[in-house]
Structure formats: C-alpha cells, structure tokens
Amino acid sequence: MGRVSFTIKMSWYQRNKIKAITQKKHQVETVTQLNPDKLEKLGIRYIALDFDGVLAPHGQPLPNQVIFAWLKLLCQKYPEQNIFILSNKPTVARAQYFAQHFPNIRFIDGVAKKPYPDGLLKIQEIAHCKSHELALIDDRLLTGCLACILAGSFPILVTKPYHDYVRRPFQESFFGLLRFVEKSIFGLRK
C-alpha cells in the first residue's frame, strides 16, 4: 500500500486519537517549550525528535542556534542515549552535527518513513522500552503524530514550527499548507 493511501486509511481509523491531540499535554508551540518535568510525570522516559520544522526549518542542514542550548538542558533531565532523531530526511550533515555535539543522541534510519510506525518501533526495540514510555515531537499530524499513535507512543505536536520562507518559499509554503489542511480536517485550528 502506498504511503498516501496508508495515511488516509490510518487517519480515518485513528481519527479520534488524532483529535485528542488538542489536549494541552499533546502540544507545544516550539520544541524549546517542551517541559521535561511534565513529560517525566507522564511516564515518558525516551524522546524522539523530528528534525524539519521541529529543530530547524525544512531543508536546513543544522538545527537552529537556540536548539543547542535547549538540548543541553534537555540532556540534564534525559540522558543522551534516551533521545533519538527520527526524521524522514536524515542527512549526513545532520548526523555529523549530532555526532560532534551530542554523540549519544542516535539517528534512526533505514526504516519506512512516517506515518509508518517502523521508526518508533525500532526505538522501542533499541531502548527496550514500553511504547507508552516514548514520546515523539513532530510538526505534522499525519506523519509523526499518526506514526506515534500507530506505535502506541505519546505524540506531541509542535504548533509553531520553525520555517524560513525567504530561503525556501515553495517548500515551506507546501508544508504550511499541509499542516493547515491536517489541522482543519481534525478541528485543531484555533
């Protein structure tokens, strides 16, 4: 089954769980507002981060500057080996950045792209964790959040993702439109 048809079919089956993402515990404006203490109270022991939109604008090779300081703070609460990068575009430059600055944060690659839950299932296998102990922070309902729901993990939606319309106007407009349509379909527009 193709990725688009899989997404449509699974989003229909999981529509109530997708709508539940309107709860405050499932949303942050930006990833830097993620509260590790609240996650810990929810039983989250492992964190997976999307890259595009969450750590940097789409197509950027490196995370935004504020992300470095935020990751340092996050690593005070969560050991690096409990943090993963799950991106549909794991590039060499991105992997090298993390290898240099956060050598124990692992990239998950070689798995089917989100919304397939394969990446999250691989993290559960690597970390020997229960599905509900893993949270994925993503900027898209029908990729990362849907994959998270399918894997039984905890989805967190970034509602104001990083973007750069000056450098990548078409790409950012396309993803902005997708986010708008997804949120409109599931009644998540404010």
Side-chain angles (χ1 to χ4, degrees):
M1 177 184 317
R3 208 164 125 214
V4 173
S5 61
F6 178 83
T7 302
I8 293 168
K9 181 178 178 182
M10 291 298 113
S11 63
W12 173 255
Y13 291 141
Q14 302 297 332
R15 64 190 178 276
N16 291 331
K17 289 182 181 179
I18 294 170
K19 286 181 183 181
I21 294 173
T22 58
Q23 297 173 14
K24 252 190 182 340
K25 68 180 180 180
H26 288 285
Q27 291 187 13
V28 292
E29 283 190 1
T30 66
V31 72
T32 57
Q33 294 177 340
L34 193 65
N35 186 326
D37 292 324
K38 285 184 182 178
L39 288 179
E40 193 173 59
K41 286 178 186 174
L42 291 168
I44 304 301
R45 297 180 52 223
Y46 300 88
I47 297 174
L49 299 163
D50 182 28
F51 196 95
D52 291 293
V54 175
L55 301 179
H58 279 273
Q60 286 287 108
L62 304 176
N64 279 5
Q65 289 182 331
V66 299
I67 296 299
F68 180 82
W70 174 78
L71 279 170
K72 284 286 189 193
L73 291 172
L74 183 65
C75 291
Q76 291 175 6
K77 192 65 151 181
Y78 285 88
E80 283 186 23
Q81 59 269 19
N82 288 21
I83 303 170
F84 298 84
I85 306 297
L86 180 58
S87 172
N88 281 351
K89 298 174 193 152
T91 67
V92 172
R94 293 172 177 182
Q96 288 174 341
Y97 172 87
F98 279 91
Q100 180 182 356
H101 298 287
F102 301 95
N104 293 312
I105 292 179
R106 293 171 273 185
F107 266 74
I108 300 300
D109 57 7
V111 294
K113 292 181 176 188
K114 298 172 284 182
Y116 295 107
D118 302 32
L120 292 160
L121 297 173
K122 185 173 181 179
I123 292 170
Q124 292 170 23
E125 183 182 317
I126 291 168
H128 304 289
C129 72
K130 296 175 182 165
S131 60
H132 67 273
E133 295 175 321
L134 173 62
L136 172 65
I137 297 82
D138 205 292
D139 64 317
R140 298 271 317 281
L141 281 171
L142 297 183
T143 56
C145 290
L146 180 56
C148 208
I149 289 166
L150 295 174
S153 296
F154 191 86
I156 298 175
L157 179 67
V158 171
T159 59
K160 293 188 177 178
Y162 291 116
H163 54 78
D164 188 346
Y165 286 98
V166 174
R167 292 174 86 184
R168 293 180 175 82
F170 299 111
Q171 189 178 26
E172 293 289 7
S173 296
F174 174 74
F175 286 108
L177 178 62
L178 287 178
R179 286 187 209 101
F180 175 81
V181 169
E182 291 171 354
K183 290 176 183 178
S184 296
I185 288 170
F186 293 99
L188 297 179
R189 296 303 301 167
K190 292 181 181 180

